[in-house]
Amino acid sequence: MTNRKMFFTMLWGAVFRRRSRAMMAVIASLVGAATLFCLASVCVAVPQQMNEEMRAYGANLIVTPASATGKSQGIDTATVRNATALIGAGHSVKSAAYRYESVRINSAPYTIAGVDVKAVRALNRHWNVTGDWPGSGNVMVGRDVADALGVKVGSRVTIGYRAADASASASSSASAKSDSDESTETAESSAQGTQSTQTTQGEQTTQATENGRVSSDIMDNNGTEFRIAGIVDTGGNEDSIIYATTADVSKLAGHERGADVVEYSVNAMGDELNAIVNRINKNTNTAVKAQTVTKITSSDTRIIAMLQTLFWIVSLVVLVLTLVGVGTTISSIVSQRRNEIGLRKALGADSRAIGVEFYVESGIYGLIGGLLGTAIGYVLARVLCATVFGRAIGFDWLLGAGSLLLSVAIAVIASIPPVRRATRIDPAIVLREE
């Protein structure tokens, strides 16, 4: 019998003659592999899943005009299309454009936003809307506006557009918008800042013209009648804005122009999202500037960082427990085979050959445990993602291969101390049973 054949014969006997001890080693590796693969799969899948879930809570990037001329004329359709192409390169993206105008209802100043209803609705799925979204001749008002006016769904309001308000605030609304974006992180809050500026300066204007006539009566309640189709309640700045279709706002203002703000929900986060912003801002041909919505992006980053930290802590604990479990099992096996080791050394077997046999035996336990543990870990990860996110995850073959290699490596590393003790056994002492 050749040495190689003898080696595999002894290895086969060592593994299958002591099934209970082998089973303990396999179970220790199985538990470790299952836990680590499950955690790793969830840790890989969760950022993507969470990013998609967070996109339901609004934009994480906004675009505004870069120049003073652009701020007065808005962002035209071609510019929006170019910016969307840059932002959406390699990413899924949703967008919605907002045109803000200062209007009056019962002589009180308010901000109206002209929107593409379908786009805004898809972007802001978290909005709590009572009634319907805006349509032709119908508006949707924020909860604060509804409370201030004392209106409900089905009520009618007369909305007046005053050229004086628009002209008085033209020079300052852009700066107000920019400052507000940086401090409150949403496009709607920028409109709120614009509204306050428009209110102050609009009331100070006493000789503005409208349709060629001088109008200094701030109590003028003339305007266009709209039906209130719905009331939106988000708990944010949206509650103080009136929403109408872009066509209705253009008709009310008497002219068309581009959007003041374009909101984007991009399937990116962290450094990847910042890279998109930098790419937009460095491209002078876009005629727009971009910035992240800090409130959303910081929440994404913070939650994912917490999950990853938890993953590493639990993984470290599992690794230590697996090492202890496999090491204890191998120590028990070595103790049981003490007489056998002494006899083999007395017959001429060297310490290296004995050590290799134990390392290979430990590796087999790790391989079997890793295979079973990876399969179980995948099932657990799939159930967990389906339960929490309502979505299934695919099997990551690279992660699976890593799980197997790690299981084998842990089993071999855990066996080093007991194997070293085994190779130092004095055959004379063992044979005398001392």
Side-chain angles (χ1 to χ4, degrees):
M1 182 179 291
T2 62
N3 289 339
R4 179 174 296 180
K5 187 175 181 180
M6 176 64 72
F7 173 80
F8 285 109
T9 300
M10 297 184 67
L11 185 62
W12 179 271
V15 172
F16 291 96
R17 281 202 308 268
R18 300 172 177 84
R19 293 187 182 89
S20 60
R21 298 291 180 183
M23 187 63 68
M24 292 177 62
V26 169
I27 291 176
S29 296
L30 182 152
V31 171
T35 306
L36 290 175
F37 186 83
C38 177
L39 288 173
S41 296
V42 172
C43 191
V44 170
V46 159
Q48 181 66 26
Q49 299 276 13
M50 183 169 293
N51 188 31
E52 293 178 5
E53 293 293 330
M54 291 293 286
R55 296 292 65 80
Y57 292 93
N60 57 352
L61 184 150
I62 63 173
V63 166
T64 55
S67 64
T69 303
K71 290 173 182 177
S72 62
Q73 297 178 352
I75 309 172
D76 59 41
T77 303
T79 303
V80 172
R81 190 182 301 113
N82 292 336
T84 303
L86 285 173
I87 295 172
H91 301 89
S92 61
V93 60
K94 295 179 182 178
S95 65
Y98 299 80
R99 172 189 174 178
Y100 295 110
E101 297 289 352
S102 181
V103 295
R104 291 181 179 269
I105 302 176
N106 298 334
S107 301
Y110 291 96
T111 297
I112 190 169
V115 299
D116 179 336
V117 175
K118 184 178 180 181
V120 173
R121 190 169 186 173
L123 184 65
N124 300 287
R125 290 179 290 166
H126 68 290
W127 283 11
N128 181 21
V129 177
T130 303
D132 296 325
W133 286 71
S136 179
N138 295 273
V139 298
M140 178 176 71
V141 301
R143 171 54 61 186
D144 293 344
V145 177
D147 291 342
L149 295 175
V151 296
K152 59 183 180 179
V153 175
S155 300
R156 292 188 173 274
V157 293
T158 299
I159 301 177
Y161 175 80
R162 301 290 177 264
D165 294 339
S167 61
S169 62
S171 62
S172 59
S173 63
S175 60
K177 179 181 294 294
S178 177
D179 294 340
S180 179
D181 281 341
E182 294 175 356
S183 63
T184 61
E185 300 91 32
T186 62
E188 283 80 5
S189 60
S190 71
Q192 194 71 2
T194 304
Q195 175 188 328
S196 62
T197 306
Q198 292 171 336
T199 301
T200 302
Q201 297 193 8
E203 291 177 349
Q204 292 174 352
T205 302
T206 59
Q207 293 295 324
T209 63
E210 183 178 7
N211 297 327
R213 293 176 296 177
V214 176
S215 174
S216 60
D217 186 3
I218 64 172
M219 299 304 293
D220 185 1
N221 291 324
N222 293 329
T224 304
E225 188 178 70
F226 289 91
R227 176 181 174 273
I228 296 178
I231 298 174
V232 59
D233 188 354
T234 67
N237 293 290
E238 297 87 355
D239 292 358
S240 58
I241 296 177
I242 304 166
Y243 294 90
T245 63
T246 303
D248 278 349
V249 172
S250 296
K251 184 177 179 181
L252 182 67
H255 65 279
E256 295 184 358
R257 67 178 183 85
D260 295 297
V261 174
V262 182
E263 293 184 346
Y264 289 93
S265 178
V266 190
N267 190 23
M269 64 182 70
D271 294 337
E272 192 176 11
L273 185 61
N274 291 329
I276 295 175
V277 172
N278 292 333
R279 184 165 68 245
I280 295 289
N281 291 336
K282 289 180 180 179
N283 190 338
T284 56
N285 295 326
T286 59
V288 295
K289 63 178 181 179
Q291 63 187 66
T292 59
V293 181
T294 310
K295 187 175 183 179
I296 298 293
T297 54
S298 62
S299 297
D300 283 0
T301 304
R302 184 169 59 253
I303 294 172
I304 291 171
M306 291 173 60
L307 289 174
Q308 290 177 337
T309 301
L310 180 62
F311 163 75
W312 286 114
I313 293 175
V314 175
S315 297
L316 182 61
V317 173
V318 171
L319 283 174
V320 172
L321 293 177
T322 303
L323 285 169
V324 172
V326 176
T328 302
T329 303
I330 298 299
S331 295
S332 177
I333 292 174
V334 169
S335 298
Q336 284 187 339
R337 298 174 61 184
R338 188 167 179 268
N339 291 339
E340 175 190 334
I341 294 170
L343 178 60
R344 290 175 60 185
K345 294 190 71 172
L347 293 175
D350 60 2
S351 298
R352 180 176 177 275
I354 295 173
V356 169
E357 180 183 334
F358 276 104
Y359 289 140
V360 173
E361 182 180 346
S362 299
I364 292 174
Y365 297 148
L367 180 62
I368 297 173
L371 284 169
L372 297 175
T374 299
I376 295 174
Y378 171 66
V379 172
L380 292 175
R382 191 178 178 88
V383 170
L384 185 60
C385 286
T387 303
V388 176
F389 297 102
R391 301 179 184 179
I393 60 171
F395 186 83
D396 191 326
W397 291 100
L398 184 61
L399 194 61
S403 176
L404 288 179
L405 292 175
L406 185 61
S407 297
V408 173
I410 290 175
V412 173
I413 293 172
S415 66
I416 291 177
V419 169
R420 291 185 65 183
R421 290 195 297 269
T423 57
R424 294 173 183 173
I425 292 177
D426 188 343
I429 296 176
V430 173
L431 293 176
R432 288 199 306 266
E433 295 184 353
E434 296 182 1

